[in-house]
Amino acid sequence: MQINGEILNCFIYCKYKAFRKYSGNTGTISEYQKLYSQQKETLKLSFGKKVSENNKLASTNSKFDKITYEDGIVLNLRFTNTNIDLTVDGFEILDKKNFILIFITPFEHITKYDKQLIALQSYYLQNEFNIHIEYGKVIYGNLLNQTKFKLSSSTKSIKKLIDDLNKTIS
């Protein structure tokens, strides 16, 4: 089975839930999860509109192997191969070698879990697709606040998370 965004997201909060998702047990979706998803989608639409108004939108709902390397932001970009099937909220293309991974959260504050999730996504994308992602960007809150951070600052903790994830799914 492939690693996907849902498994990574579950793993950040609950290793057992990630194991169950990886094993194919879907469970029931809680009211909290439904509300979070609705708010996140609303925020993603607002961010997409803002990016489009600023003429920075390159494309939406694309696959990585089909994008053109125009400067700009690609929303809902899907990366897929035999090991991974991951759709990221956004991917900023600075040039053919420099990318910024974007994560959108409806919360008014950034948590360590947000940074861990974006760092995990980055790790898999760099290893599976041979691309270099130096920075992560979190878009948060109703005002679409932004924080950019260097992903190399979380290298040690990510290696531990990857080891834990591999143990959990095996």
Side-chain angles (χ1 to χ4, degrees), residues 4-121:
N4 62 36
E6 189 175 22
I7 291 169
L8 292 180
N9 194 25
C10 290
F11 179 75
I12 293 295
Y13 294 101
C14 177
K15 293 175 181 160
Y16 180 66
K17 187 173 182 179
F19 170 74
R20 301 239 346 173
K21 292 284 184 183
Y22 187 79
S23 300
N25 298 325
T26 57
T28 57
I29 298 173
S30 69
E31 291 300 316
Y32 173 80
Q33 288 172 309
K34 289 177 188 175
L35 181 60
Y36 176 85
S37 295
Q38 289 171 348
Q39 289 181 330
K40 182 170 177 141
E41 283 305 312
T42 300
L43 198 61
K44 284 169 72 173
L45 290 171
S46 296
F47 180 67
K49 185 177 178 182
K50 181 180 176 183
V51 169
S52 182
E53 288 170 355
N54 294 336
N55 294 322
K56 292 184 178 180
L57 186 64
S59 68
T60 60
N61 300 317
S62 301
K63 287 183 80 173
F64 179 69
D65 58 351
K66 300 210 186 308
I67 65 167
T68 58
Y69 291 93
E70 301 173 23
D71 289 358
I73 296 174
V74 180
L75 299 176
N76 300 318
L77 183 60
R78 184 174 181 200
F79 294 83
T80 184
N81 65 18
T82 55
N83 299 322
I84 195 163
D85 186 0
L86 182 62
T87 301
V88 297
D89 294 338
F91 201 69
E92 188 169 353
I93 302 169
L94 303 174
D95 58 47
K96 288 188 177 188
K97 295 183 181 179
N98 292 311
F99 305 98
I100 298 174
L101 191 56
I102 299 172
F103 176 71
I104 299 171
T105 180
F107 297 124
E108 292 297 326
H109 301 285
I110 299 171
T111 66
K112 72 175 184 176
Y113 302 113
D114 298 332
K115 289 184 176 183
Q116 286 177 338
L117 180 59
I118 200 169
L120 269 176
Q121 290 175 337

